[in-house]
Amino acid sequence: MVIRWVRMTFHPEEVTPFLDMLATRQEQIRNFPGCLYLEVVQDVQYPNIICSHSHWATEAALQAYRYSDFFKDTWSMTKPRFAAPPQAWTVKRLTELS
């Protein structure tokens, strides 16, 4: 399993349009083959910073999503809303405490 974090900084006026668009697509993202988990979080101090956190069965599944027509279409609607370049990390879990 791999874990993907993407930190996105939006122009403040683009937050609501982005969240509206995401609401129509998040089930498709979550149900993409190999996606095991999806959450989207918002910074409490800077609400124009939004992060996606997803778990993927394999790195190949993540890459299949990233190169899919669905992702390209979603990204084309997301990218113009950015106030800063996004940052992304693909990581593996070393420990977990609950």
Side-chain angles (χ1 to χ4, degrees), residues 32-64:
F32 200 88
C35 183
L36 307 172
Y37 175 83
L38 174 66
E39 75 174 333
V40 177
V41 297
Q42 186 174 39
D43 189 289
V44 294
Q45 188 173 3
Y46 302 100
N48 65 313
I49 297 175
I50 297 173
C51 298
S52 65
H53 170 215
S54 55
H55 296 185
W56 295 85
T58 63
E59 191 168 358
L62 171 60
Q63 294 307 320

Side-chain angles (χ1 to χ4, degrees), residues 9-98:
T9 303
F10 292 91
H11 294 288
E13 67 276 10
E14 295 291 350
V15 171
T16 298
F18 167 74
L19 293 174
D20 290 345
M21 183 273 297
L22 180 65
T24 68
R25 293 176 167 257
Q26 63 191 0
E27 290 294 325
Q28 289 173 276
I29 297 168
R30 172 55 188 91
N31 292 315
F32 200 88
C35 183
L36 307 172
Y37 175 83
L38 174 66
E39 75 174 333
V40 177
V41 297
Q42 186 174 39
D43 189 289
V44 294
Q45 188 173 3
Y46 302 100
N48 65 313
I49 297 175
I50 297 173
C51 298
S52 65
H53 170 215
S54 55
H55 296 185
W56 295 85
T58 63
E59 191 168 358
L62 171 60
Q63 294 307 320
Y65 168 69
R66 291 185 63 227
Y67 289 98
S68 70
D69 289 339
F70 175 75
F71 176 83
K72 290 174 188 175
D73 185 51
T74 302
W75 199 245
S76 74
M77 292 185 278
T78 303
K79 192 174 179 180
R81 303 178 191 282
F82 291 147
Q87 298 175 310
W89 301 270
T90 302
V91 299
K92 64 181 181 179
R93 179 177 288 138
L94 297 179
T95 63
E96 178 181 17
L97 304 175
S98 58

